[in-house]
Amino acid sequence: MAFVLVGIATLGAALVTVTTRQLVHAALWLIVALGGLAVEYLLLTAEFIAWVQVLIYVGSVVVLLLFGLMLTRAPIGRSPDADSENRWVALAVAAAAAGTLVWVVVDAFRTTWIDLDGPAQGSTEATGSFLFRHWVLPFEALSVLLLAALVGAIVLSRKGREQAIPDNAARKSTSRKNTSRESTSRESTSREDQS
């Protein structure tokens, strides 16, 4: 019963994540959805996967996303650009992807049996040996992808500052020219008055 309730709450948070028009709210609802998945893993007695979910996804990916929003100066409030007119197409693609994923998982694990005499399937030993034998390359690719996203956000934020600096320098030089012109005209006026 708890598994179903947490699943419904996680699904609701995921729906709010993809339908809200505020980017920061979407990131915060994503934390709730990913946290709900971690609770589901705990209910399935996969403690290692649950803590990896919390540390990597909630602790790293969402924090990186929030840093990216801050560094690129994304709008904090409602963003009209966050809404697209392709909602029905997106819904159809999401339904097709969900159906395909369910079919692939059911087909792949239809004849799979759990070895009760071996180590528990959610234990650190079983999960670590499986991950680092078969999934090392995707883990490394993910770390490079996250690093590239962080560097890209920094580059985008610096580009905005570099464009602002010449504008400020041009304003300062214009104001200096205007000040020097005003002081020259004042000096000439005061000389004329003296003569």
Side-chain angles (χ1 to χ4, degrees):
M1 186 66 181
F3 187 85
V4 174
L5 291 176
V6 173
I8 292 171
T10 304
L11 180 63
L15 287 174
V16 174
T17 300
V18 298
T19 56
T20 185
R21 292 187 182 185
Q22 298 186 8
L23 295 177
V24 176
H25 288 183
L28 295 176
W29 280 109
L30 182 62
I31 292 174
V32 175
L34 295 175
L37 283 177
V39 173
E40 296 282 44
Y41 288 134
L42 280 176
L43 292 173
L44 291 172
T45 66
E47 294 89 2
F48 178 73
I49 302 295
W51 291 119
V52 166
Q53 173 82 13
V54 170
L55 291 174
I56 293 178
Y57 287 99
V58 177
S60 300
V61 174
V62 176
V63 169
L64 183 65
L65 180 64
L66 289 173
F67 270 108
L69 288 174
M70 288 188 292
L71 287 173
T72 56
R73 298 183 185 141
I76 299 299
R78 286 183 171 268
S79 177
D81 298 335
D83 193 15
S84 175
E85 299 298 327
N86 300 324
R87 284 188 179 193
W88 295 109
V89 176
L91 184 61
V93 170
T100 304
L101 182 62
V102 167
W103 178 75
V104 166
V105 169
V106 168
D107 187 57
F109 294 102
R110 183 176 295 154
T111 58
T112 301
W113 298 93
I114 297 174
D115 183 16
L116 296 178
D117 295 330
Q121 292 299 313
S123 70
T124 307
E125 179 186 353
T127 306
S129 65
F130 183 76
L131 285 178
F132 292 110
R133 280 189 191 147
H134 304 290
W135 299 100
V136 173
L137 187 61
F139 266 57
E140 293 301 323
L142 180 62
S143 64
V144 171
L145 179 67
L146 293 175
L147 180 63
L150 183 60
V151 170
I154 291 171
V155 167
L156 286 175
S157 68
R158 300 289 291 172
K159 190 180 291 185
R161 285 185 180 175
E162 289 172 0
Q163 291 173 353
I165 289 171
D167 291 342
N168 289 338
R171 287 181 193 152
K172 287 179 181 177
S173 65
T174 306
S175 65
R176 286 178 188 163
K177 288 178 183 177
N178 291 339
T179 306
S180 64
R181 286 180 188 166
E182 289 174 4
S183 62
T184 306
S185 63
R186 286 179 189 162
E187 288 176 4
S188 62
T189 307
S190 63
R191 287 177 186 166
E192 289 175 1
D193 290 342
Q194 288 175 359
S195 60

